[in-house]
Amino acid sequence: MQQKYSNLKMLAVLAGICVISAGLLGYAHISTAERIRENREARIRDAVGKVLAGIDSYERINSEPVIFKGMTQGEIAGYAVLYEGMGFQGTIQLLIGLDPDIHMMKGMAVLDSVETPGLGDRIKGPDFGKQFEQMGIPGEGEIKVDTITGATISSLAVEKIINRAIGDAKRIL
Amino acid sequence: MLKEFFKGIWKENPVLRQLLGMCPTLAVTTSSVNGIAMGLATTFVVVSSGIIVSLFRNVIPSQVRIPVFTVIIATFVTLVDLILKAYFPDISRALGPYVPLIVVNCIILGRQEAFTSKNPVLLSVCDTLGMGLGFTLLLVVLGSIREILGSGSVFGMHIMPAFFRPLVIMVLPAGAFITLGLIAAMYNLVNQKADRT
């Protein structure tokens, strides 16, 4: 009898703790979800503004991959493609700015990456990013990047992601 | 009470003496800011779960104490993760997957098992706060040394002269092991000297 009682108590305490914990987390999730979504949207908004400099507005025109169309005074100023691929340690998510004819890149921004600090994460830096501003896209659609010393794998990963994104953009647009 | 607080900072420092929580210690300390953020997040979790465990220490049956501790800890970790994501997105991105991994930081479970499940709330707060801050202090020191030598800056401010070339190894895992080893050696040296006198 004693044994049975203590089993019940074990179950009751564990179940009780789990219920309280679930309730608390549910509440926390609901109250932070909105802000987390806003943060993410603000990041994408900043990045679109960076890779398509000078646009007045933009809208999402495709998912899989996500493509934004940027407008300046009623004219299409370019497209921004959200694309991700494998980096050195994990996924790299890039936003790639293209001109309306996809003859030229207008810019590149790193949205998410877990590359090595001080080495691979220099793909986020201005020195690496600058080369993509006004970079011509050759006929076959394969760009070449200037790699960062000591971060060849991360640099080539960026090159691969961009080339895939350009390929998809050409197919879709 | 003060004794319970200060033992975590020096005499029983969770990293240097107990050698617990090595994974976050080595992984996130590439900069001082990461160190302080990880340290404070861990401190929050260890203190809050300590209070809860201490409050319910007489209700929790000893057979299920570990699952109960784990659920309590995991709840607080998830709270921290959501709060960081919502209000400090930059820190959240810098720490990445290491915030959810606070759940398995053995300092936290270790304190519940060794201290808070056997002691009243006030003492438990002193103990866990001391342990948390001791952990934070070590992470900030380690992060600062690695950031100064590896990136030439501290807390994001550039401080090294122009001729200084950053030592890339310091921001790589090897730099973390070397620095932590040297800090631990110095810690033992100081303690030995103090014991002799």
Side-chain angles (χ1 to χ4, degrees):
Chain A
M1 202 56 207
Q2 183 58 39
Q3 179 62 33
K4 207 172 185 180
Y5 174 73
S6 100
N7 278 351
L8 270 180
K9 190 188 170 197
M10 249 158 48
L11 276 175
V13 170
L14 195 51
I17 295 263
C18 288
V19 167
I20 295 169
S21 151
L24 200 63
L25 288 182
Y27 176 73
H29 175 74
I30 291 165
S31 38
T32 53
E34 181 71 6
R35 259 198 92 101
I36 292 174
R37 203 175 50 80
E38 275 170 17
N39 285 341
R40 190 172 161 72
E41 274 170 12
R43 266 172 70 69
I44 290 182
R45 191 163 56 237
D46 288 350
V48 172
K50 198 183 135 205
V51 300
L52 297 176
I55 56 165
D56 316 322
S57 66
Y58 70 91
E59 56 174 328
R60 193 174 148 146
I61 55 164
N62 193 51
S63 47
E64 302 287 323
V66 173
I67 299 179
F68 300 99
K69 181 169 74 174
M71 308 291 284
T72 311
Q73 291 164 353
E75 304 237 324
I76 299 174
Y79 299 100
V81 188
L82 193 66
Y83 218 89
E84 58 180 42
M86 202 50 201
F88 181 56
Q89 285 175 317
T91 311
I92 301 178
Q93 193 180 46
L94 302 179
L95 191 72
I96 296 138
L98 302 167
D99 74 340
D101 313 320
I102 318 186
H103 286 145
M104 204 173 69
M105 276 187 70
K106 294 175 78 101
M108 184 278 288
V110 180
L111 275 179
D112 254 314
S113 73
V114 284
E115 301 306 287
T116 321
L119 288 173
D121 83 341
R122 277 187 288 167
I123 59 170
K124 292 190 271 191
D127 291 344
F128 183 69
K130 222 167 36 203
Q131 62 178 307
F132 300 106
E133 291 164 19
Q134 318 297 326
M135 179 191 250
I137 300 168
E140 66 274 24
E142 295 265 299
I143 59 136
K144 286 260 170 255
V145 303
D146 291 334
T147 57
I148 302 167
T149 308
T152 313
I153 294 175
S154 303
S155 311
L156 292 180
V158 169
E159 179 181 281
K160 203 163 146 190
I161 297 166
I162 291 176
N163 283 333
R164 284 214 200 119
I166 292 175
D168 271 21
K170 281 194 165 170
R171 200 163 41 73
I172 293 162
L173 297 171
Chain B
M1 232 160 74
L2 280 178
K3 201 187 88 215
E4 300 296 353
F5 175 74
F6 282 110
K7 73 171 192 264
I9 310 262
W10 183 263
K11 210 171 111 251
E12 290 178 27
N13 185 291
V15 177
L16 294 174
R17 172 52 53 101
Q18 306 175 39
L19 293 179
L20 291 177
M22 287 291 115
C23 163
T25 303
L26 294 165
V28 303
T29 52
T30 50
S31 70
S32 353
V33 174
N34 282 2
I36 204 163
M38 179 46 121
L40 292 181
T42 308
T43 304
F44 171 78
V45 173
V46 75
V47 173
S48 353
S49 33
I51 292 172
I52 302 291
V53 169
S54 174
L55 276 175
F56 292 101
R57 67 184 185 281
N58 296 325
V59 187
I60 302 169
S62 66
Q63 299 97 318
V64 290
R65 66 186 192 286
I66 302 290
V68 168
F69 296 165
T70 313
V71 171
I72 293 170
I73 295 166
T75 306
F76 282 111
V77 171
T78 315
L79 280 180
V80 168
D81 193 28
L82 287 173
I83 291 166
L84 283 181
K85 271 195 186 132
Y87 298 98
F88 306 97
D90 293 328
I91 293 177
S92 169
R93 257 197 317 284
L95 294 179
Y98 292 104
V99 176
L101 281 178
I102 296 175
V103 174
V104 289
N105 187 325
C106 12
I107 295 171
I108 298 170
L109 189 60
R111 282 344 280 169
Q112 317 310 337
E113 178 73 1
F115 200 92
T116 64
S117 59
K118 296 172 195 134
N119 288 284
V121 177
L122 208 56
L123 274 182
S124 296
V125 172
C126 290
D127 173 84
T128 49
L129 197 61
M131 288 294 163
L133 293 181
F135 181 62
T136 309
L137 185 71
L138 193 273
L139 256 58
V140 172
V141 170
L142 188 56
S144 301
I145 295 175
R146 290 180 66 194
E147 192 181 343
I148 291 169
L149 297 177
S151 315
S153 57
V154 67
F155 284 102
M157 282 176 302
H158 211 83
I159 53 156
M160 293 303 264
F163 62 82
F164 173 77
R165 289 203 46 189
L167 300 161
V168 167
I169 192 173
M170 293 309 288
V171 293
L172 295 178
F177 281 103
I178 294 168
T179 316
L180 182 64
L182 292 175
I183 294 175
M186 260 157 43
Y187 171 83
N188 284 337
L189 194 72
V190 171
N191 279 342
Q192 271 177 14
K193 283 262 162 70
D195 281 349
R196 259 184 233 137
T197 50

